[in-house]
Every structure is written in C-alpha cells, then in structure tokens.
Amino acid sequence: ALLASCAAWRGGREPARPRPDLVPLSRATVIIDQLALRRGDEILVERQQRSELADRYRYDPRARFLAVWAQPRGEDRWAGFRELALGFPRSALGQLGMASVYVEWRTLDQADRAVARALAIEPDNWLAVLYRGEAAELRERPDAAGADYAAVLAADPANPDAHLGLARLARARGDAPAARREVEAVLAAAPDHLGALGLVADLARDAGDLAGAAEAEGRIVEASPRDWDARLRLARIWRTLGKPGLARDQLRAAARLRDDPEALALLADAARAAGDGRTEAEAL
C-alpha cells in the first residue's frame, strides 16, 4: 500500500491528505518570511530564538527546519537543509527545505527531484505538493499548479501560500474577481502579508484604480517602513494623482533609506511642485 501511495504521488496530483501537524509549521514559515521581508530587527530576534530552540530540541527535525528557514537566503541556507536531510533521513523536512530553495533559485529540475524524495519519505506531506505547485507555476503550467494549490487547500483551507498562488494564477488569466477572493483569503489569515498587499495594488492598477493602489501600497509601507521600492511606487502614484506633498514625504523617507539619483530627482520634482524649495535644493 505504501509503494502504491508513493507511485500515485509521483505520477498524479491527488488531493493532499490532512496533516494537521504541518499547519503550524507552514504558518511559522510564513511568519519568518514576512519578518525577513520587513528587514527590521524582528527577524534578528526570530533567528536567535529559532537557533536556541534548535539547540534545545536537537533531535526534533521541525525545530532544526525552522532554524534553517530563518537564516538569510543563500547557499548556507541550502547547506543547512541538506545537513538536515542527512541527519534525519526518515523526515521529509530536509528535502522540503532544499525544494523551496531550488524553487527560489528557479532550478526547477532539482526542485522536482527534491519534492519526489520528500514524497517518497512522507507521501501525505502536502508541503511538498505546495512547492511542486510553485515549480509548475514558474514553468507556466497553470492547470498543474492550480491542481496542486487546490490539493494543499483541501488539507489546510487557510493556507496563505496556496491562496496567493491561486490569486496569481487568476490574475494571469484575467480573472480579477477570483484573484481578489483569493487575496482576501490570504489577508484573512495574515493581515499584513506583503505579497498579498502587493497583489492588491497590482489588481487596482489593472483596473485603473490608482486610489486603491495607493491604499494598498500605503499598507505595505506601514507594515514594512524600510521597503524602499514600496515607498517609490507610492510616491509615483501620489504624483500621478496630483498630490506632490504626499509624494515628497514618501520620497524623503526613501532618501533616508538609500541614496539613488533617480529617486532624488523625483524628490526634487515633487518638492518643487509642492512649493518646498528647501527640500528641492537638498535633493538637487
């Protein structure tokens, strides 16, 4: 029966079985990712805490998995997952971690092999199905990706990553109402999810709703004050909407984060339009 189950997972896209123990693990990865994107001190605290938990529970692969997940992106993180796979060969988590890194690196053949190894160890591990869906999405295979995301949601109906994947697929095929529904499901589970808020802004732009895009970008800036790109996007929207003072404020905050000639030129322009000669001179 086990061999038949493994073969089914490798060959098809059957619904994921309920694995409630994976839900808190999945949510923890979402929290860690969001803290990393915010680039504040919270991710440093999280890394320290996850490292201490891994030392305390050294024989628990879940603690080790989350400690590695919290580390900065790069080859050391991949090496940590590989070490986890070697140290805990009966757990799929090391393979899952490597699969997530391969998806991020877009080395999708390697991601496929890591997912297959994970499912051979734990045929009912729906996190592997999630990463398989992400790889299919990157390959522009929307039907396969959508089937995998749906299978994940059958096991974990509130999964933010799967809902966001379906939202991206819906937007790509021009189904804005479906994309909004899926994004709302993400934000219900994670109210300040930066990827979901970014997609809300994109959907608003698609509809020509610059005020809605400004609101979504403002929520991103509020949740992640060090996001230089979000501040620049928000400033451009305010400038287009004829509110140079609000654009100046965002660009001034962006200038404190990074010296960029293009952004400083935009700041000078916005300050000039707002009648703020001092800021204009400083920017120039």
Side-chain angles (χ1 to χ4, degrees):
L2 177 61
L3 290 172
S5 177
C6 293
W9 272 110
R10 285 194 293 269
R13 286 183 145 74
E14 298 181 1
R17 302 178 191 177
R19 275 284 300 272
D21 58 310
L22 293 177
V23 174
L25 192 76
S26 175
R27 294 299 184 279
T29 63
V30 172
I31 291 170
I32 290 168
D33 287 346
Q34 294 302 303
L35 292 177
L37 287 171
R38 285 167 172 75
R39 304 170 192 164
D41 294 335
E42 295 91 342
I43 186 59
L44 303 178
V45 175
E46 183 76 11
R47 285 172 183 156
Q48 180 65 31
Q49 291 176 344
R50 291 295 175 186
S51 178
E52 291 172 357
L53 286 171
D55 289 340
R56 186 182 308 168
Y57 302 105
R58 64 184 64 186
Y59 300 114
D60 186 345
R62 294 169 299 179
R64 295 276 296 275
F65 175 82
L66 291 175
V68 177
W69 193 280
Q71 294 307 306
R73 307 281 168 157
E75 292 201 9
D76 288 344
R77 189 167 177 263
W78 172 86
F81 287 129
R82 182 173 183 274
E83 183 180 348
L84 177 61
L86 294 173
F88 294 88
R90 294 185 179 181
S91 169
L93 291 180
Q95 300 295 340
L96 288 178
M98 287 192 289
S100 73
V101 172
Y102 291 139
V103 170
E104 181 185 340
W105 290 349
R106 298 184 179 235
T107 53
L108 301 181
D109 290 342
Q110 290 173 297
D112 289 342
R113 290 192 287 270
V115 165
R117 290 192 295 266
L119 290 173
I121 298 168
E122 297 178 7
D124 58 351
N125 193 311
W126 47 261
L127 279 175
V129 180
L130 174 66
Y131 303 138
R132 187 175 67 183
E134 291 178 351
E137 183 182 351
L138 289 173
R139 284 192 170 102
E140 297 185 0
R141 298 174 182 170
D143 291 342
D148 278 342
Y149 292 145
V152 172
L153 291 174
D156 176 18
N159 188 275
D161 292 321
H163 277 298
L164 190 60
L166 288 177
R168 290 192 300 264
L169 293 175
R171 182 188 177 221
R173 66 174 182 266
D175 189 347
R180 291 192 195 95
R181 285 195 301 271
E182 296 297 339
V183 167
E184 287 169 3
V186 178
L187 295 174
D192 292 329
H193 193 288
L194 297 178
L197 291 173
L199 194 51
V200 170
D202 290 337
L203 289 167
R205 288 189 190 90
D206 293 345
D209 179 11
L210 288 183
E215 181 183 357
E217 295 288 3
R219 289 177 64 185
I220 294 174
V221 167
E222 184 178 353
S224 183
R226 297 183 61 80
D227 192 328
W228 184 87
D229 294 301
R231 288 192 180 277
L232 208 64
R233 291 193 303 267
L234 181 54
R236 291 181 187 277
I237 295 172
W238 286 136
R239 193 72 178 90
T240 302
L241 289 174
K243 298 184 178 181
L246 294 176
R248 174 205 58 197
D249 294 344
Q250 290 301 323
L251 290 164
R252 192 158 48 192
R256 289 194 290 268
L257 297 172
R258 184 194 307 175
D259 266 339
D260 178 85
E262 181 184 359
L264 288 170
L266 291 173
L267 174 56
D269 176 74
R272 184 183 311 114
D276 182 355
R278 178 175 180 177
T279 299
E280 179 190 358
E282 288 174 354
L284 290 172

